[in-house]
Amino acid sequence: MGEWREECAVFGIFGADRASELAQLGLYALQHRGQESCGIVSVHDGRFFVEKGIGLVADVMTPERLAKLPGRQAIGHNRYSTTGGLNLTNTQPLTASIRGEEVAIAHNGNLVNARLIRRRLEENGSLFQTSLDTEVFLHLLAQGEGDFEQRLLAACGEVQGAYSLVLQTDRAVYGLRDPNGWRPLVLGQLETGAHVLASESCALDLLGARVLGEVQAGELVRLDAKGVTRRPFLPSAPLKQCLFEHVYFSRPDSVVFGETVDRVRRRLGRRLADEQPADADVVISVPDSSNSIALGYAEQSGIAYELGLIRNHYVGRTFIHPTQAVRDHSVRVKFNAVEAALAGRRVVMVDDSIVRGTTSRKLVALVRKAGAREVHFRVGSPPVAFPCFYGIDTPSRAELIGARLDLEEIRAFLDVDSIGYLSLEGMKACESRPDTWCDACWSGRYPIPPEPTAAKLSLEGPRLWGPTRSA
Amino acid sequence: MGEWREECAVFGIFGADRASELAQLGLYALQHRGQESCGIVSVHDGRFFVEKGIGLVADVMTPERLAKLPGRQAIGHNRYSTTGGLNLTNTQPLTASIRGEEVAIAHNGNLVNARLIRRRLEENGSLFQTSLDTEVFLHLLAQGEGDFEQRLLAACGEVQGAYSLVLQTDRAVYGLRDPNGWRPLVLGQLETGAHVLASESCALDLLGARVLGEVQAGELVRLDAKGVTRRPFLPSAPLKQCLFEHVYFSRPDSVVFGETVDRVRRRLGRRLADEQPADADVVISVPDSSNSIALGYAEQSGIAYELGLIRNHYVGRTFIHPTQAVRDHSVRVKFNAVEAALAGRRVVMVDDSIVRGTTSRKLVALVRKAGAREVHFRVGSPPVAFPCFYGIDTPSRAELIGARLDLEEIRAFLDVDSIGYLSLEGMKACESRPDTWCDACWSGRYPIPPEPTAAKLSLEGPRLWGPTRSA
Amino acid sequence: MGEWREECAVFGIFGADRASELAQLGLYALQHRGQESCGIVSVHDGRFFVEKGIGLVADVMTPERLAKLPGRQAIGHNRYSTTGGLNLTNTQPLTASIRGEEVAIAHNGNLVNARLIRRRLEENGSLFQTSLDTEVFLHLLAQGEGDFEQRLLAACGEVQGAYSLVLQTDRAVYGLRDPNGWRPLVLGQLETGAHVLASESCALDLLGARVLGEVQAGELVRLDAKGVTRRPFLPSAPLKQCLFEHVYFSRPDSVVFGETVDRVRRRLGRRLADEQPADADVVISVPDSSNSIALGYAEQSGIAYELGLIRNHYVGRTFIHPTQAVRDHSVRVKFNAVEAALAGRRVVMVDDSIVRGTTSRKLVALVRKAGAREVHFRVGSPPVAFPCFYGIDTPSRAELIGARLDLEEIRAFLDVDSIGYLSLEGMKACESRPDTWCDACWSGRYPIPPEPTAAKLSLEGPRLWGPTRSA
Amino acid sequence: MGEWREECAVFGIFGADRASELAQLGLYALQHRGQESCGIVSVHDGRFFVEKGIGLVADVMTPERLAKLPGRQAIGHNRYSTTGGLNLTNTQPLTASIRGEEVAIAHNGNLVNARLIRRRLEENGSLFQTSLDTEVFLHLLAQGEGDFEQRLLAACGEVQGAYSLVLQTDRAVYGLRDPNGWRPLVLGQLETGAHVLASESCALDLLGARVLGEVQAGELVRLDAKGVTRRPFLPSAPLKQCLFEHVYFSRPDSVVFGETVDRVRRRLGRRLADEQPADADVVISVPDSSNSIALGYAEQSGIAYELGLIRNHYVGRTFIHPTQAVRDHSVRVKFNAVEAALAGRRVVMVDDSIVRGTTSRKLVALVRKAGAREVHFRVGSPPVAFPCFYGIDTPSRAELIGARLDLEEIRAFLDVDSIGYLSLEGMKACESRPDTWCDACWSGRYPIPPEPTAAKLSLEGPRLWGPTRSA
């Protein structure tokens, strides 16, 4: 339906009974960050156990499979859903035997120099078996000098871009974030004392774990039998946290980059009401991602909040096969308009962002068909005009409506009476630390420039390095 | 998690290309009324084609199975989810060969004299192959005099209780509602002219069908090559529409019993604010069924509405297997509390109803753990104290908290600072026709008394007539 | 590939721990009698438990499903594989509630007057839910007078045709054979004392059970807490045992109708060598069903026995989907010729029977391509020229090569140097009791004439009464 | 059940429409060489397509999956069945990106110095992702100098042991055999002109391909758009063909190492009759692998051949889950004895080899229980006393009955009246080239000594290098 796609969720746990069951729950809470596939690797008695599958966590991680994941330490990963081929080889965590030592790794983010490193490694005889940039870490780990941690830090010195990583050996679980801190990673502690790493705090909440705080940008956290060791591993760099995590990706109940997401979104909504007021009777949200922003808009503007669009609860969870009938009925499979709430009314319709605009246009048509007299579209972020190279699967520039059309053209395309985006300044003003953000997808100011090839490719289509595999 | 369970959704369509695909979409929109199993029966060239399965509509009705359901007429059915044995024999629609003519039937509701009729039929040599009360209709159809419709009306003259039925022969699709009109059934028309029957209007909306109105209580609707024929078939009886459809079962975007459900719930919330005010800082909903009521409460009371509880979108869609970890973390698998919205606040927590009270108690604990200073529990309907015999799968009286405890005991059990239910009068006052409702679950005034055995059983446990089957 | 299809296997057991696991093993030994679907019904504490599925016994009856079949008594059924739609509704055992008592039934054979009885019952209001003739038994049981056994015997007095039945109530397991004894049924006893009924003795062998002998034609055997009760239930009729059981259907290691099948087939082969000698260098079998006959032929003729055709072990077990490549390579998917055993040789090729002749023709071509100088086709039974109405799924007359062509035409069609069938007299002479056989498929002398419609239908195509269902 | 396990089958095809469908058929014909898993990699338009799965070829390679394998060239692989964990990561063909070029490889055989090479490579930074020795080839290919073929030949110069390989790039399919020629590999040509490589000729027969002959030991065959190029790649070494291929592994209809397997086995049986005569009434085979040997024995001795043991056709094809009942009934699930063929007789029981002896002992007990008066066990090969390091998965020495017990002890263990093995000289005398064989498993004379660790491990248990994975 044209939404942005996060690349992943990561999870790690050390020192807990039934570690793999807890990893499953953690991944379940993080399901929104990746719905294509999932995997868990546990360690027991020095041996690694791996279960991966295509599908949702609850479907893949059956009790039978969890029973095959013994041990008190585990890491896990969710991957986003692509429209193309499902691909078990590319699921994470990746595992490898490195100088006789087993290693597993789970990665959220995207490296900008992975192709260059890969080419160099291949020229020296390294053999790549997946098309994931994450595999670069494993090869660098296999080639460096010193012990595991020394090689890990050396590897981090070579790669550039976004990485919130969870790794494990048979003795420890590691978490680390790149020096710019693009993607979130939080550390928590269970009541039993065991430590947990997760992409968002909602995973810790589900386990009843206490949040100890974020893994800092450029920090390495080691969980082992002695407890937690934390240390910076790379010189500090300017924070470049992904502002889209607050706008769209993260769950509203999570604390991400030190802020409760729902609270930030409320402020975005209130600011949006100030920047882009509308003379209207009701405010409605495009559920569920825009609910907080729409409530903020309603609160600040004093306009009544209505449930004008209802989302089918079963959409997106089970995949409904695209028969002709499904295609014919398009967005109505996902949303329904409530005529009694809309008919004859002037409606403010609040969304968090617009990708291609095609879904928004169909939703506007639904709202109009339900009798809305006027539709004023309000967006809780600026127009997205540049692709992301740090872990979000954006369409190519040519498909981004914010890159293709000007404001009036967008208004006409959506067929609305007025359109208003929140300004970049306004958005940052809703944050307590306004200068710690990556805003490349709006501004085109890339903190670390992408590889030339990657930049080119992202304007053309999906990035595929290796063979098309399935299982 | 202790929710009420509706017994079913029904759907019928006549005269449309790809009728089974449209039936699938209709059932998909009605998934909330039954998640255990589903089935579609289509008719092509005088032959019946049947596909049924355990699971959600999107999972069961794959393109492969829809391709095996040719024809321009079809009926379909969703069934509720039981915790016990899945049971393919008992899925609907039921089919039978009656005097050389194929018949299929789908039923929403519950008959109160099915056992008596079944016993009489069995004594005369009839052979029952399922444990569904619906099968009684088929046997009565097999035994009466006259043509199909005459026998159908004769059958309706014998049975008592709740039935919104969709049937088909190889020439027509029929819809009918019992004279008291317990369960909803609406008639609509596609743009192509084909007619459609469905439990709720949201299924018609998805198909882009125009709502022609409700099938009236005691009315028989026949869809065939000539179009629609409607006629009353039993003398009028007092309307006894299920008020719980408005409070809990139906989708908020549906028009049910002539009212948009979201609108009724808003009025329930406003009335609740008047009847049961609270001195508080925020209003929160138990999502998603109570959202409309909570918004109404917030609006009327002037107290701010917050997203204090977030529901995991993947809950209830995929079944998460109850490992030990899942049991340990209980309601948190489903809901998370937003600390930033609750901490230090006095909270009005709005729910539509309370069944056993155990889930509510856990949610209150979650809200308190997130720092709520006070919790004032408000319920958009009176205490449920009597089992339903007309199509809702209520627990036995002994398990209903409204039957076991008085108000102060309930407050203490839930561990809240105050509790307030909406009155029965208040609830009816929110309806435009206050005297057309069945209120038996609150009042114990059963419009048609149940069979003695059924009444007894419902206090004891699940109703099982036949063998335990699966497939 | 043109083989005959047996309609079923039946199994019953009373008084054994893990009765359903033993039923599974029994059905596994009888898999050759039906590969489409299987089912087991067990009884525990007066309750019936049913598991059925499409597929082979080992695939369908998983430990999870067997665990849902508790109790010390069980019956089971295998059904043959049709090319058409798989059909869970039509799987056996059938179950019904008859006057408050649960009954399960499994049937091998075919009734000749089922349609007449069904029509009569339908006119009196009975409701048929499957398209199986077996369902007639259940309705007759529901309608008769007296206790269960009295009604069972009355039912047997009404039906005509072939039935080896296994039934159970919550107190007993019954086995019975029709008075003509078309289909086999044997009784055995486990070392633990529990009794067992099965279509063939190979199922008893697998369980380590002692064979107590056949259930006699017209005999009712009751297994219950008191042990075994046997009694004749219908006046004696001339034995009409299916001779094809000895020629083709039964496993060679089974004792069927009092004879070890392998021994009978050896005699058929020896007699065939006498009746239809050939001047040749080697004898080969069409494996595996003709192995015993071919060995008998080689032994009597003194011609060397060679493994000239090798059958792929995986054929028929797993279903290989008919891609274009599979169609192109046809019989070679199933059989390969051994050039070193055939090249330059004059070959006697022995088969048990010929259905349409198309497979035989392809096999002859394979043998010729491997270099055979001459091919002399020998068949261990006469030409099949009439359809069976007693439990074998024969093609229509128009498709039977023995009904369409004369001997020379068959020879020419198969492209062999000579052809020879065993005579009917010769075949019977290989049996110790030559006058106890049904030979209708060869002679057209039907012991009980079929219903007119059935006879007509069998010349036209598959017999289908009801809707096409699947699950 | 104690049988030897071959490690694999390989298949390759170049220049054919629907190459993957033909690969599927080829693997289907070679199913006996590996039943755990299978995989096919096709190439289309320079892209590689991979489908792998756990299970039999017919089950895994559905039309849906074959449709995802476009192109005119493909390679495939079957893997044997282990009792332990199923393991998708370790399935073949393996694929990798080597200096920007995709490569796929399928391997039959076992390298004896893989661990040493792997350790060296790991120390230089190579990263191993499977626990297969085959992966060593890929890494050597990634590291060598020169073009693909030069690096391939260099790799072959480093590895030692058994390898019949099929590889492909996006331009060619390669087949090659190690200089000792342990494992078979044949080359054939379809009627369309396309070329095919397969482990055994039976796969070519199924495709109607002409056998062009064996790939020679030390020969490299290249299939590409220009046709076939063949050239020796390593200096000649003494042939060490696996004699067990003739005794047990290969299909009887295959031509392997220049001989039809059935013919060799016949000669083994005749020689066995001469070397180890028996005074007996009947000869029986342990079906199906010993049929040819038993027929040879019967022919030479003049003793009648009987089908004394019948094998359940469904065994080994579908996996029957080991419930308690299955365990209780052990070998009877697989075999049944024919009492009428055995009772009162003196029986020669012919088997191809004995592994642990436990299955043989149970079969002897079955034969005795069926009434055999005497049992004379005859084996068509010498006692296996040493593990194989060249591609057969033998148990450790401690489990091999031929290594643990002397002849009289074996006789007593099996509880037979006499035992006789064929001599090594006798076995070789049945071959036309008696000096071209590896006889290490009987003689302990290893042509290339295994790595010390491997030798040690094989006495201890299964060889596992990496993590336990599944998918």
Side-chain angles (χ1 to χ4, degrees), chain B residues 47-52 65 68 88 95-100 102 118 122 124-129 135 138-139 142-143 464-471, chain C residues 47-52 65 68 88 95-100 102 118 122 124-129 135 138-139 142-143 464-471:
Chain B
R47 285 184 64 195
F48 277 53
F49 298 84
V50 183
E51 296 288 330
K52 297 176 179 182
R65 299 189 93 172
K68 291 193 269 177
L88 199 52
T95 53
S97 163
I98 296 178
R99 303 187 191 176
E102 291 293 325
R118 179 171 170 148
E122 285 193 341
N124 290 325
S126 287
L127 187 75
F128 280 76
Q129 298 189 32
E135 192 179 342
L138 290 175
H139 286 277
Q143 301 211 319
L464 277 177
W465 284 354
T468 302
R469 293 161 217 232
S470 77
Chain C
R47 286 184 65 194
F48 278 52
F49 298 84
V50 183
E51 295 288 330
K52 295 176 180 184
R65 298 189 94 173
K68 289 193 270 178
L88 199 52
T95 51
S97 161
I98 297 178
R99 304 186 190 176
E102 292 293 326
R118 180 170 168 150
E122 286 193 340
N124 289 324
S126 286
L127 188 77
F128 280 75
Q129 300 190 30
E135 192 178 342
L138 291 175
H139 286 277
Q143 300 209 319
L464 278 178
W465 285 353
T468 300
R469 296 161 214 233
S470 75

Side-chain angles (χ1 to χ4, degrees), chain D residues 136-184:
Chain D
V136 161
F137 280 104
L138 291 174
H139 286 276
L140 291 175
L141 275 168
Q143 301 209 318
E145 301 287 324
D147 67 16
F148 180 79
E149 281 187 42
Q150 288 169 322
R151 283 178 282 135
L152 176 57
L153 299 191
C156 291
E158 292 205 48
V159 300
Q160 289 190 306
Y163 51 95
S164 284
L165 294 182
V166 174
L167 298 94
Q168 73 183 342
T169 64
D170 64 359
R171 275 181 304 273
V173 167
Y174 297 88
L176 73 171
R177 268 173 87 200
D178 65 74
N180 299 107
W182 259 286
R183 299 280 147 224

Side-chain angles (χ1 to χ4, degrees), chain B residues 121-315:
Chain B
L121 288 166
E122 285 193 341
E123 279 163 8
N124 290 325
S126 287
L127 187 75
F128 280 76
Q129 298 189 32
T130 74
S131 51
L132 300 174
D133 59 347
T134 308
E135 192 179 342
V136 161
F137 280 104
L138 290 175
H139 286 277
L140 291 174
L141 275 168
Q143 301 211 319
E145 302 284 327
D147 65 16
F148 179 81
E149 280 188 42
Q150 288 170 321
R151 283 177 283 134
L152 175 57
L153 301 190
C156 292
E158 292 207 46
V159 300
Q160 290 191 308
Y163 51 95
S164 284
L165 294 182
V166 174
L167 298 93
Q168 75 183 342
T169 65
D170 64 0
R171 276 180 304 274
V173 167
Y174 296 89
L176 72 172
R177 269 174 85 200
D178 66 74
N180 298 107
W182 259 286
R183 300 280 147 225
L185 188 63
V186 292
L187 175 66
Q189 188 169 28
L190 293 177
E191 288 178 16
T192 62
H195 287 88
V196 189
L197 292 157
S199 290
E200 295 180 29
S201 67
C202 63
L204 307 187
D205 294 341
L206 172 46
L207 301 177
R210 192 161 52 96
V211 178
L212 299 181
E214 295 190 279
V215 175
Q216 296 301 311
E219 185 188 29
L220 173 70
V221 173
R222 175 186 164 111
L223 314 179
D224 60 16
K226 293 180 199 148
V228 181
T229 320
R230 308 177 64 152
R231 59 158 158 151
F233 69 92
L234 274 181
S236 67
L239 266 182
K240 293 293 173 193
Q241 299 168 128
C242 172
L243 198 36
F244 235 93
E245 292 277 353
H246 277 173
V247 173
Y248 173 78
F249 287 124
S250 299
R251 262 176 56 169
D253 49 329
S254 284
V255 179
V256 167
F257 306 140
E259 301 267 2
T260 296
V261 173
D262 169 68
R263 297 290 95 182
V264 177
R265 289 185 188 161
R266 282 276 182 140
R267 293 197 292 267
L268 293 173
R270 288 199 290 263
R271 176 91 186 196
L272 180 61
D274 288 341
E275 288 194 11
Q276 303 284 354
D279 193 10
D281 305 309
V282 296
V283 171
I284 69 171
S285 162
V286 177
D288 286 325
S289 57
S290 307
N291 289 353
S292 295
I293 302 175
L295 281 166
Y297 194 103
E299 183 183 8
Q300 183 74 4
S301 65
I303 305 173
Y305 178 76
E306 291 282 358
L307 302 175
L309 286 169
I310 300 292
R311 183 184 172 99
N312 182 327
H313 273 190
Y314 300 90
V315 157

Side-chain angles (χ1 to χ4, degrees), chain D residues 105-330:
Chain D
I105 185 169
H107 174 206
N108 179 22
N110 204 59
L111 304 181
V112 297
N113 65 340
R115 281 164 182 273
L116 293 173
I117 297 175
R118 180 170 169 149
R119 194 173 310 142
R120 193 194 76 214
L121 289 165
E122 286 192 341
E123 279 163 8
N124 290 324
S126 286
L127 188 75
F128 280 76
Q129 299 191 29
T130 75
S131 51
L132 299 174
D133 58 349
T134 308
E135 192 179 344
V136 161
F137 280 104
L138 291 174
H139 286 276
L140 291 175
L141 275 168
Q143 301 209 318
E145 301 287 324
D147 67 16
F148 180 79
E149 281 187 42
Q150 288 169 322
R151 283 178 282 135
L152 176 57
L153 299 191
C156 291
E158 292 205 48
V159 300
Q160 289 190 306
Y163 51 95
S164 284
L165 294 182
V166 174
L167 298 94
Q168 73 183 342
T169 64
D170 64 359
R171 275 181 304 273
V173 167
Y174 297 88
L176 73 171
R177 268 173 87 200
D178 65 74
N180 299 107
W182 259 286
R183 299 280 147 224
L185 188 63
V186 291
L187 175 66
Q189 187 169 29
L190 293 176
E191 288 178 16
T192 61
H195 287 89
V196 189
L197 292 157
S199 290
E200 295 180 29
S201 67
C202 64
L204 307 188
D205 295 342
L206 172 45
L207 301 177
R210 191 161 52 95
V211 177
L212 299 181
E214 294 188 280
V215 174
Q216 297 301 311
E219 187 189 28
L220 173 70
V221 174
R222 175 186 165 109
L223 314 179
D224 60 18
K226 294 179 200 150
V228 181
T229 318
R230 308 176 65 154
R231 59 157 160 153
F233 69 92
L234 273 180
S236 68
L239 269 181
K240 292 296 172 189
Q241 299 169 125
C242 173
L243 198 37
F244 234 94
E245 290 278 351
H246 278 173
V247 173
Y248 174 78
F249 286 123
S250 297
R251 262 176 56 168
D253 49 329
S254 284
V255 178
V256 168
F257 306 139
E259 302 265 3
T260 298
V261 174
D262 170 66
R263 296 292 92 181
V264 177
R265 289 184 188 161
R266 279 280 180 138
R267 294 197 292 268
L268 294 173
R270 286 201 290 263
R271 174 93 186 195
L272 180 62
D274 288 342
E275 287 193 11
Q276 302 286 354
D279 194 12
D281 304 312
V282 297
V283 171
I284 68 170
S285 162
V286 177
D288 285 325
S289 57
S290 309
N291 289 353
S292 294
I293 302 175
L295 281 166
Y297 195 104
E299 185 184 3
Q300 183 74 2
S301 65
I303 305 173
Y305 178 78
E306 291 282 359
L307 302 175
L309 286 169
I310 300 293
R311 183 184 171 99
N312 183 327
H313 273 191
Y314 301 91
V315 157
R317 317 311 175 228
T318 57
F319 173 69
I320 186 159
H321 297 270
T323 59
Q324 188 55 43
V326 167
R327 279 189 291 269
D328 290 348
H329 296 286
S330 158

Side-chain angles (χ1 to χ4, degrees), chain B residues 7-23:
Chain B
E7 303 234 335
C8 309
V10 297
F11 185 88
I13 185 163
F14 188 94
D17 289 342
R18 276 192 286 273
S20 62
E21 287 189 18
L22 300 175

